[in-house]
Amino acid sequence: MLRELVDLQPYNTLALHARAAVFCEPVSQEELLAALSLARSRQLPVLPLGEGSNIVLTRDYPGLVLRLRDNRIQLLREQTGTVLVRVGAGLNWHQWVQQSLDNGWYGLENLALIPGTVGASPVQNIGAYGVEVAQFIDSVQGVYLDSGEAFDLDNKACRFAYRDSLFKQALAHKTVITSVVFRLSTVPAVHASYAALRDYLAEHHADEPLTPTLVMEAVCAVRRSRLPDPHLLPNVGSFFKNPQVSPEQFVALQQQYPAIPHYPGEQGRVKLAAAWLIDQCGWKGRCLGPACVHEHQALVLVNRHGASGEEMLALADAIAADVLARFAVRLEPEPWIW
Ligand code: EPU
């Protein structure tokens, strides 16, 4: 069950080399608790990894790395128009989206093809094409790493926000999520107003009725055309969050750059497209050593030539410095940096 000194390169989508002192893939709650109790007795820190699609490893991990294996799907309750479904943390996210659609449980179509696991999805409240997973989460179950005690938090308690949750704030690095309960609709409904999605549907499927299946196909096509597949070109999706600025700063920026893309942000702020800011600074498709900016999406950094975590970060720092100098906007990394 436990392995020592394991190279994590196959377990993170940036394909970075870093060794875990101890590595474990528990298949049951008992195995998970046994591994946590061993970590406590050896005073090891614990890192739940998922599929490693949102982490930048810059050095070895001196503790226990966990990859949960539970991938069960359990229908808990069916009421008029909705279902409650518990899903094991280890299930691949896209497989879950596909299976939910196959079962006639709607809502997750816009989140198709996002790399990672079900257990990781609440941590940064994954989102794409106008939808965030928080809209469909009923509750999140897991275990506190220090005590092994179980928790069950409802949606409100998870404090979801844009690419954020309690699991990135007060509970950061303190829990492992073991399952998520989703509330999905049995009545087909579609969200297709996001510009890139709307344009694709208008161009390719103008005369067809909008169904959840069609929306999912469109999301997959749009993602495949812009975002690199981490299996083919190592990456962690967006490397920065879209920054949010005050209305005053936005007005000043818009006067100077009338084409600046913008969206409603949180608490009256204005959300800017980090990809556009980076693109304007001329970084799209450019490299710094072995670390590169993707040629179709400036927000995605790719490990094209066997870069180290430090080299990926050097590129990210250079980009953030240019964006700050030109727009006075600070970019924050989206993945977790170790
Ligand atoms: N743009 C550029 N240059 C580029 C790419 C985009 O100028 O190289 C402009 C586009 O023209 C558009 C704007 O930037 O006006 C936004 O681009 P896009 O619709 O591609 O979305 P994004 O804001 O760059 C976000 C998410 C993605 C998600 C897409 C689609 C974040 C940090 N990223 O990207 O999520 O797939 O919207 O909903 O919120 C991820 O989190 O890993 C991720 C890929």
Side-chain angles (χ1 to χ4, degrees):
M1 177 176 104
L2 295 172
R3 290 192 284 146
E4 309 233 339
L5 290 179
V6 172
D7 183 3
L8 296 173
Q9 198 214 19
Y11 304 112
N12 73 97
T13 62
L14 263 174
L16 300 171
H17 285 286
R19 282 184 311 179
V22 186
F23 184 81
C24 175
E25 298 184 278
V27 290
S28 64
Q29 188 89 354
E30 292 69 43
E31 274 190 23
L32 169 64
L33 293 178
L36 289 179
S37 121
L38 175 123
R40 268 198 303 281
S41 68
R42 285 168 58 176
Q43 297 191 327
L44 296 175
V46 181
L47 171 64
L49 198 57
E51 285 177 6
S53 56
N54 208 44
I55 189 168
V56 184
L57 293 162
T58 64
R59 55 203 160 101
D60 289 345
Y61 190 74
L64 166 68
V65 171
L66 285 174
R67 261 168 61 98
L68 266 56
R69 282 301 194 191
D70 179 4
N71 58 8
R72 286 169 297 178
I73 296 177
Q74 194 187 354
L75 177 60
L76 299 179
R77 189 151 23 108
E78 188 159 8
Q79 289 167 319
T80 1
T82 62
V83 284
L84 275 187
V85 187
R86 184 195 302 276
V87 186
L91 184 59
N92 169 268
W93 174 261
H94 181 71
Q95 276 181 26
W96 161 230
V97 173
Q98 184 66 63
Q99 290 195 33
S100 64
L101 190 61
D102 292 347
N103 281 304
W105 303 332
Y106 305 112
L108 304 177
E109 305 77 33
N110 296 45
L111 305 177
L113 280 187
I114 295 183
T117 57
V118 166
S121 67
V123 177
Q124 63 149 328
N125 181 18
I126 57 172
Y129 306 102
V131 167
E132 288 184 348
V133 73
Q135 294 166 244
F136 303 98
I137 290 181
D138 176 78
S139 57
V140 176
Q141 295 72 42
V143 168
Y144 293 105
L145 297 175
D146 57 356
S147 61
E149 194 190 319
F151 67 80
D152 187 348
L153 295 171
D154 67 15
N155 181 297
K156 192 156 180 282
C158 293
R159 297 183 171 275
F160 292 117
Y162 166 64
R163 292 294 191 277
D164 201 16
S165 76
L166 186 69
F167 307 105
K168 274 181 90 172
Q169 300 293 335
L171 289 186
H173 316 304
K174 293 194 164 79
T175 64
V176 55
I177 291 171
T178 52
S179 62
V180 179
V181 174
F182 293 87
R183 183 184 298 278
L184 298 174
S185 173
T186 50
V187 184
V190 293
H191 305 268
S193 56
Y194 193 89
L197 195 55
R198 202 183 50 217
D199 294 350
Y200 178 89
L201 287 163
E203 192 181 334
H204 298 271
H205 301 276
D207 303 324
E208 293 167 55
L210 278 183
T211 61
T213 305
L214 185 60
V215 169
M216 176 151 160
E217 276 171 31
V219 166
C220 291
V222 172
R223 283 191 78 98
R224 287 200 172 105
S225 70
R226 297 180 181 200
L227 295 167
D229 177 348
H231 294 108
L232 306 177
L233 187 54
N235 73 86
V236 283
S238 304
F239 206 95
F240 299 100
K241 293 198 227 178
N242 281 335
Q244 305 192 53
V245 298
S246 68
E248 295 75 29
Q249 186 177 2
F250 171 66
V251 169
L253 282 168
Q254 201 184 28
Q255 269 165 9
Q256 216 179 338
Y257 306 96
I260 190 167
H262 59 282
Y263 317 90
E266 294 166 324
Q267 286 137 20
R269 287 176 298 167
V270 180
K271 197 189 274 180
L272 304 177
W276 186 88
L277 301 172
I278 296 168
D279 208 343
Q280 294 296 306
C281 292
W283 273 106
K284 193 152 152 179
R286 266 177 63 195
C287 301
L288 186 65
C292 303
V293 180
H294 190 55
E295 54 274 27
H296 299 312
Q297 198 353 327
L299 199 45
V300 177
L301 307 192
V302 294
N303 183 0
R304 204 174 273 291
H305 307 289
S308 66
E310 294 293 356
E311 286 166 326
M312 296 306 302
L313 290 188
L315 172 61
D317 287 347
I319 292 170
D322 280 2
V323 168
L324 184 64
R326 173 137 176 212
F327 298 101
V329 173
R330 208 171 281 281
L331 292 183
E332 244 183 80
E334 197 215 59
W336 186 55
I337 315 287
W338 164 255

